[in-house]
Amino acid sequence: MSIECREISKRFGRTQALDKVSLTLESGHIYGLLGNNGAGKSTLLSILTDRQLPDHGGVTIDDQPIRNNDRALEKVFLVGEQNFFPDDMKVRRAFQVMAYFYPHFDLDYALDLSRQFGLSLKKKIVNLSTGYASIFRLVLGLSVNTPYLFFDEPVLGLDAQHRDLFYRLLVEKFIDTPCTVVLSTHLIAEVENLIDHTIILREGKILQNAPTEDLMAGTSTLSGPAGLVEEFLSGREVLTSHSLGGLKSVTFRGALTEPLPPGLELGPVSLQDYFISLQEAEDRKAAEKEAERHAS
């Protein structure tokens, strides 16, 4: 079981939102979909759920094309910012409607989650605050029981306690009912212990697509006196470096076989640090290409 995306491209005016994106989302994983603003994350999720049409390419769910295919689309659910319910509909009624359209929607579980989050069943959806509107959509996603579940910036407006509750409930749900989960978020530090596979988009293209553990393997930080750091890392692939006074901290790729000289400190790289370093390295490459273009 999998979702396959083949050579997906999408343009909005002069903006190339997606450029020949191909990937496979396999069953039983929690994917992290990462990227800066405008990288194409929301567009990709909209195309994967048939909410937008690609200009080129196609998507299949379990080998079935998704275009106007109710049998395929009932297997996937996207938790995003849009509200598709009538403005005057109340939360409880929305849950009942979901149970009609999604046969595996767990109404009792949705009611229990509402209690845990403090979500009023009597409120109209349109009158919910930003945080509780997000909670309403999270309850839908956690209760719908589709094989494929996408979250686009799921904790928008949530306080720390509710964010922690959502992450715990998501893991419990994933363990109890294995499925494919995609988390698109800017809060990388909060989800890096949840996601086992990371996809990084940049300017509509896939920059990295690998198991999270493999992605950061062989990447480290080295800190110490600037001259000593530069000498020790000579010839290695440096992603980013930052200096403060006479000290320097460098994120680099490559295994170390020789012992560290006194004064240097080696440390691991978090997924968030890796993401930032990767973006800074790409920014530097783009700037160098632009400078070469102007020079020629």
Side-chain angles (χ1 to χ4, degrees):
M1 296 176 63
S2 65
I3 294 181
E4 292 195 15
C5 169
R6 297 184 298 277
E7 296 287 308
I8 291 294
S9 294
K10 182 68 177 179
R11 176 180 289 274
F12 298 101
R14 296 183 178 180
T15 302
Q16 188 72 48
L18 294 173
D19 187 6
K20 297 181 180 178
V21 170
S22 295
L23 58 85
T24 300
L25 301 173
E26 297 180 340
S27 180
H29 292 282
I30 298 181
Y31 291 87
L33 181 61
L34 311 180
N36 290 332
N37 290 331
K41 304 184 301 297
S42 294
T43 301
L44 177 59
L45 293 181
S46 292
I47 289 175
L48 290 177
T49 51
D50 203 33
R51 295 186 181 183
Q52 289 185 16
L53 289 177
D55 299 327
H56 181 269
V59 178
T60 59
I61 297 178
D62 299 339
D63 298 322
Q64 298 182 53
I66 67 168
R67 183 62 187 150
N68 295 325
N69 186 342
D70 290 341
R71 288 190 62 188
L73 291 173
E74 69 182 10
K75 298 180 180 181
V76 62
F77 189 78
L78 170 61
V79 178
E81 292 186 40
Q82 289 179 294
N83 172 37
F84 294 99
F85 296 93
D87 287 346
D88 61 346
M89 184 173 286
K90 295 182 179 180
V91 171
R92 183 187 291 272
R93 179 57 181 161
F95 292 161
Q96 294 169 344
V97 170
M98 281 291 293
Y100 176 80
F101 285 103
Y102 289 89
H104 298 292
F105 184 83
D106 191 335
L107 180 56
D108 291 336
Y109 185 61
L111 297 176
D112 180 58
L113 290 182
S114 298
R115 178 190 57 79
Q116 293 187 54
F117 279 107
L119 173 64
S120 173
L121 301 174
K122 297 180 180 180
K123 271 205 168 188
K124 291 182 179 179
I125 298 168
V126 72
N127 292 333
L128 294 173
S129 67
T130 300
Y132 274 103
S134 292
I135 287 172
F136 166 70
R137 293 188 290 268
L138 292 180
V139 172
L140 294 180
L142 292 169
S143 306
V144 72
N145 289 315
T146 53
Y148 304 97
L149 186 56
F150 301 159
F151 292 92
D152 190 7
E153 296 298 338
V155 295
L156 182 68
L158 268 63
D159 57 39
Q161 182 179 359
H162 281 147
R163 294 201 306 272
D164 181 69
L165 176 58
F166 164 64
Y167 296 136
R168 286 192 286 111
L169 289 169
L170 179 62
V171 171
E172 290 174 7
K173 189 73 174 178
F174 181 77
I175 293 173
D176 293 340
T177 312
C179 57
T180 301
V181 176
V182 178
L183 283 171
S184 174
T185 181
H186 291 297
L187 301 179
I188 301 173
E190 292 191 356
V191 303
E192 63 179 292
N193 291 328
L194 304 181
I195 59 179
D196 59 58
H197 194 109
T198 299
I199 301 166
I200 299 178
L201 286 179
R202 180 183 170 90
E203 297 179 349
K205 296 182 178 181
I206 293 180
L207 189 58
Q208 297 283 356
N209 180 10
T212 304
E213 186 176 334
D214 294 349
L215 198 66
M216 297 183 295
T219 304
S220 307
T221 60
L222 188 69
S223 304
L228 198 56
V229 169
E230 292 170 2
E231 179 182 355
F232 188 76
L233 291 180
S234 177
R236 300 183 190 275
E237 182 184 0
V238 173
L239 294 176
T240 57
S241 64
H242 300 279
S243 299
L244 181 62
L247 299 177
K248 195 167 190 176
S249 177
V250 174
T251 301
F252 69 98
R253 285 197 185 106
L256 294 180
T257 55
E258 63 271 43
L260 284 179
L264 294 184
E265 183 176 344
L266 187 69
V269 176
S270 68
L271 181 58
Q272 177 167 285
D273 289 340
Y274 175 84
F275 173 82
I276 293 172
S277 296
L278 190 64
Q279 296 297 329
E280 290 180 353
E282 291 299 315
D283 288 342
R284 187 174 64 250
K285 290 178 185 177
E288 290 172 353
K289 286 184 179 179
E290 186 66 15
E292 290 176 0
R293 187 178 69 83
H294 283 294
S296 61

